[in-house]
Amino acid sequence: MRHITLIDTTLLQAYDLHKSALSFKEKLEIANCLDRLRADVIELPPITGQKADELFGKTVAASVKSAVSACVPVNSALVNETWESVKAAKKPILNVTAPASPVQMEYTGHMKAPAMLEAIKKQVAACRALCADVEFTALDATRAEPEFLYAAVTAAVEAGASRVTLCDSAGVLLPDEFITFLNGVRENAPKTADAKLFVQVSDGMCMAAACAAAAVEAGADGVKCTAVPAGYTTLEQIARLAQVKGSALEIEIGLRTTELNRVVSQIGRIVSANRSEPKPFDHSGGEIANICLDKNDDITEVTKVVSQLGYDLSEEDNAKVYEAFRRIAVKKQFVGTRELDAIVASTALQVPATFRIDSYVINSGNVLTATANITVLKDGERRQAVAVGDGPIDAAFFAIEQIVGHHYDMDDFQIQTVTEGAESMGSAMVKLRADGKVYAGSGISTDIIGAAIRAYISALNKIVYEGE
């Protein structure tokens, strides 16, 4: 019988989603619960340099029998500190995580492919110099350029990684497509034979369990799971697979299944107790965790899900949310919970829109000056301007200033992706200063430049509204 390794990422997902304000004691209780279940590996979030993070890692490492894995982002400078936090574990693991898709590399890793490849080699080697068991996790691997992914996996193994995890972070593959993807990595990156292969599948299309089961059948050594629903395969799903198909697939797991329901419920209560509203990371609300809306869903269905997420919006705000949802949905296959949360945050509960985006055309490249042609609506009247800038976003902001006829000092500007994948949704935040006060605006779009433009207009509308 082949042993399937179960890596629990409950604590990591709570950290990533920013949905649960768990105390030190509660996080430790979750770790002890997972240890009682005999999870093979308990994965911890990356440390941030705070003493509390290091202390938590040391406490978990010293108190559990399960292997303890600590995340080390590819651009983290805290390798030594991370190792110090988990080295006392009976089986310590350092897990180097790196974005693999072009979008994630640029917007979360802030690197191009060649630089990312060198960073992976360097970080894995640094971890291997400290720890005998090093994992390399390719985030959003199914959206990566194949040649880069093969090179990244090969480089990681050659640098000392003994474990490789491939993530379908977008969760848009069917089981047979996922197997084709895994086989492609095996064939084109033969060094994977020298490492244990794990998978992590998002439930974006409600197929995570099926894809994980197919990967196990195809020879994967293990699956990354969560104890309570968080948009990924759960421990209960893999336990059920082993129970029903274990003999046929000749697989076994070390989980104490007799205590699974009770312990999972206990963890769910701990997480839910820190929530003032139902969210995807709520064991009692699993139906929300796997939400998949598309362009065919009407306003009634979207409003229902928004209500389930804990929002009590007016009819006008629900209409605004649905309008923004439709704009996103026509460009994406699915709109998930995190994306819908971002849509609500950026469109509902806003001031009346004096200015509205009508259209924008951006030209940019390494051999031409960035230009922006922006058209906005004000009281039904179209106003247009063309401007140049140091980059496409800079040019777009200058064009809006020409339309408004006023320059506002920018206090802050941030962009990030809400979800993973080539079709990820971008979120932007702009803070403008007017008469000594700061006005913040947010925007979302499948186009990060579009998100920035919408954020600027959002802040501008607040300035105009307060002035009136």
Side-chain angles (χ1 to χ4, degrees):
M1 300 287 280
R2 185 164 58 94
H3 179 79
I4 300 301
T5 299
L6 297 185
I7 304 172
D8 187 277
T9 65
T10 300
L11 291 168
L12 176 63
Q13 295 305 323
Y15 170 86
D16 284 344
L17 292 173
H18 300 287
K19 301 295 185 185
S20 187
L22 297 172
S23 68
F24 187 100
K25 180 181 178 181
E26 289 164 336
K27 289 187 289 184
L28 185 59
E29 186 176 353
I30 290 175
N32 287 328
C33 284
L34 296 172
D35 189 48
R36 287 201 303 273
L37 281 179
R38 295 178 184 168
D40 294 290
V41 182
I42 299 172
E43 193 161 291
L44 305 183
I47 66 173
T48 61
Q50 298 180 359
K51 290 297 181 182
D53 291 342
E54 295 183 44
L55 179 60
F56 176 66
K58 290 179 180 179
T59 306
V60 172
S63 62
V64 303
K65 296 179 181 178
S66 300
V68 178
S69 175
C71 283
V72 185
V74 69
N75 55 359
S76 173
L78 301 174
V79 176
N80 290 326
E81 291 83 352
T82 303
W83 170 241
E84 288 296 323
S85 72
V86 296
K87 71 177 184 180
K90 291 179 174 60
K91 301 173 184 176
I93 302 168
L94 292 180
N95 177 21
V96 177
T97 60
S101 67
V103 170
Q104 290 296 302
M105 276 192 284
E106 183 171 354
Y107 291 114
T108 65
H110 308 294
M111 298 184 201
K112 298 295 185 181
M116 181 61 70
L117 196 59
E118 289 303 313
I120 290 170
K121 295 178 185 177
K122 181 179 178 181
Q123 197 75 314
V124 171
C127 289
R128 182 63 182 85
L130 299 170
C131 182
D133 202 352
V134 177
E135 177 182 349
F136 168 64
T137 297
L139 304 172
D140 204 22
T142 55
R143 297 300 186 93
E145 294 292 339
E147 293 306 318
F148 171 79
L149 180 62
Y150 305 151
V153 170
T154 299
V157 176
E158 289 178 342
S162 55
R163 300 165 176 254
V164 171
T165 297
L166 301 175
C167 303
D168 180 13
S169 304
V172 294
L173 295 187
L174 297 174
D176 58 339
E177 294 173 324
F178 193 52
I179 296 308
T180 299
F181 162 73
L182 293 179
N183 290 337
V185 175
R186 286 192 180 109
E187 293 169 6
N188 294 280
K191 281 289 183 179
T192 53
D194 298 332
K196 292 183 178 180
L197 180 63
F198 305 108
V199 297
Q200 182 176 28
V201 190
S202 171
D203 211 20
M205 207 165 58
C206 306
M207 298 292 288
C211 287
V216 167
E217 184 178 12
D221 295 291
V223 180
K224 291 199 172 184
C225 309
T226 56
V228 293
Y232 292 91
T233 316
T234 65
L235 291 174
E236 289 177 300
Q237 289 171 329
I238 301 302
R240 181 63 175 165
L241 172 67
Q243 180 184 21
V244 176
K245 290 292 186 180
S247 297
L249 298 178
E250 297 185 340
I251 62 171
E252 63 179 6
I253 60 174
L255 213 60
R256 297 177 66 178
T257 55
T258 55
E259 294 190 35
L260 186 57
N261 289 337
R262 180 181 64 80
V263 175
V264 165
S265 295
Q266 182 179 352
I267 294 174
R269 286 193 296 271
I270 294 172
V271 174
S272 299
N274 288 274
R275 305 292 305 277
S276 59
E277 56 189 35
K279 294 285 183 176
F281 203 83
D282 187 342
H283 183 59
S284 63
E287 72 278 6
I288 301 177
N290 300 328
I291 167 184
C292 293
L293 296 172
D294 61 31
K295 64 182 180 181
N296 297 314
D297 287 300
D298 60 18
I299 188 171
T300 302
E301 185 62 30
V302 174
T303 301
K304 177 183 176 182
V305 175
V306 169
S307 178
Q308 288 176 326
L309 290 175
Y311 295 102
D312 184 15
L313 303 182
S314 67
E315 184 176 343
E316 181 182 1
D317 277 337
N318 278 323
K320 292 178 181 178
V321 168
Y322 182 68
E323 181 183 354
F325 162 80
R326 284 285 301 170
R327 177 169 50 81
I328 298 297
V330 295
K331 297 182 180 180
K332 291 176 59 68
Q333 291 177 304
F334 300 99
V335 173
T337 306
R338 292 173 65 188
E339 295 161 312
L340 195 58
D341 258 334
I343 289 172
V344 173
S346 63
T347 59
L349 308 174
Q350 302 289 320
V351 301
T354 303
F355 294 94
R356 296 178 182 271
I357 289 293
D358 182 59
S359 65
Y360 58 90
V361 177
I362 309 295
N363 291 309
S364 181
N366 63 343
V367 294
L368 70 152
T369 303
T371 61
N373 187 335
I374 307 290
T375 303
V376 302
L377 297 175
K378 183 182 180 184
D379 300 327
E381 176 190 353
R382 281 184 170 81
R383 299 187 178 188
Q384 183 180 24
V386 178
V388 298
D390 293 334
I393 293 177
D394 189 50
F397 290 172
F398 278 143
I400 297 173
E401 287 183 354
Q402 289 184 24
I403 292 173
V404 177
H406 189 88
H407 168 75
Y408 296 100
D409 291 331
M410 186 169 295
D411 201 66
D412 193 12
F413 173 56
Q414 298 177 19
I415 57 174
Q416 62 182 23
T417 54
V418 176
T419 52
E420 297 83 2
E423 296 178 347
S424 61
M425 194 170 73
S427 172
M429 186 275 291
V430 169
K431 291 183 179 179
L432 300 179
R433 185 174 293 276
D435 297 327
K437 298 180 64 176
V438 175
Y439 299 81
S442 60
I444 56 170
S445 176
T446 52
D447 169 12
I448 199 66
I449 298 175
I453 293 172
R454 295 180 188 281
Y456 193 102
I457 292 294
S458 173
L460 177 62
N461 281 329
K462 291 178 181 179
I463 294 173
V464 174
Y465 179 74
E466 183 158 321
E468 293 175 349

